[in-house]
Amino acid sequence: MNFALMGQMFWEFMKIGLFAVGGGPATLPYLMDLTKKFDWYTMEDLTNMIAISESTPGPLGLNMATYAGFHTLGTFGGVVSTLGLVIPSVIVIVLVAKFLENFNENKYVQGAFAGIRPAVTALIAAAVYSVCRVSLFVETQDGYAPAVKTMILCVIVFGLLQVKKLQKYHPAVWILAAVVIGIVFRF
């Protein structure tokens, strides 16, 4: 067991848990940053983590932390990264719950959240852009080329999701349909 690597993984995911304000999607920029800092997983692995995390029960960020830790260090890595991600939230929730009434009316807290929201939105948008680039384009010697079948599937699913009657279907239905299409057409 590599305790130094576990400690490093715990520390990195604890920082993500502390600063990823806004839930699971807000963890994406931080997880992308880890692909640059460490060889724990690649961008392609990250897109797979997102797909798996979206198709399994539980919060996206938590699922991704568990997957990343497991992918790198096995079961103990999954536990360590998950604990690292969760501990800051537990501490903050306990503190906020204790002082909730004071925080709710505080103009500085309201101002801080007014500033945090657009920054988190921009971080998520940048992460979505990067995930789309990896998912919808293939890397070539000259840069990136469109993965045409993948783009067509993305546009079709996006279009279908705009139809009110189809929005009632659970995301698992869409994911299972994409799995079948991916197998049949070998994306």
Side-chain angles (χ1 to χ4, degrees):
M1 229 180 290
N2 188 337
F3 291 109
L5 185 55
M6 276 190 191
Q8 186 177 35
M9 184 167 276
F10 178 84
W11 175 248
E12 291 298 326
F13 279 97
M14 193 173 87
K15 290 190 299 189
I16 292 172
L18 187 60
F19 295 110
V21 178
T27 63
L28 291 177
Y30 298 100
L31 292 168
M32 288 173 48
D33 188 51
L34 292 182
T35 64
K36 298 170 189 161
K37 285 183 175 178
F38 307 104
D39 62 349
W40 297 344
Y41 52 86
T42 65
M43 252 324 263
E44 188 174 337
D45 292 332
L46 181 61
T47 60
N48 291 336
M49 285 192 289
I50 293 168
I52 290 168
S53 296
E54 283 291 334
S55 62
T56 55
L60 173 70
L62 189 63
N63 288 349
M64 290 179 68
T66 305
Y67 182 89
F70 182 81
H71 181 76
T72 305
L73 288 171
T75 302
F76 287 117
V79 171
V80 164
S81 60
T82 301
L83 285 174
L85 186 77
V86 170
I87 285 174
S89 298
V90 170
I91 293 169
V92 168
I93 287 170
V94 168
L95 291 174
V96 167
K98 186 173 180 177
F99 302 104
L100 184 60
E101 290 178 12
N102 296 338
F103 277 109
N104 223 11
E105 303 293 324
N106 188 305
K107 66 180 180 181
Y108 297 110
V109 171
Q110 291 175 349
F113 280 112
I116 288 172
R117 275 187 231 110
V120 168
T121 301
L123 287 168
I124 292 170
V128 166
Y129 169 76
S130 296
V131 169
C132 286
R133 189 180 69 212
V134 170
S135 299
L136 301 176
F137 295 87
V138 292
E139 197 166 357
T140 66
Q141 290 177 331
D142 300 327
Y144 287 91
V148 178
K149 288 195 291 188
T150 305
M151 283 187 165
I152 291 170
L153 177 60
C154 181
V155 168
I156 289 171
V157 171
F158 182 80
L160 290 172
L161 285 171
Q162 303 314 303
V163 177
K164 196 78 164 165
K165 289 181 180 180
L166 297 177
Q167 291 175 356
K168 66 181 180 180
Y169 291 110
H170 193 275
V173 171
W174 294 99
I175 291 168
L176 287 173
V179 166
V180 170
I181 291 168
I183 291 170
V184 170
F185 294 105
R186 300 220 170 114
F187 276 77

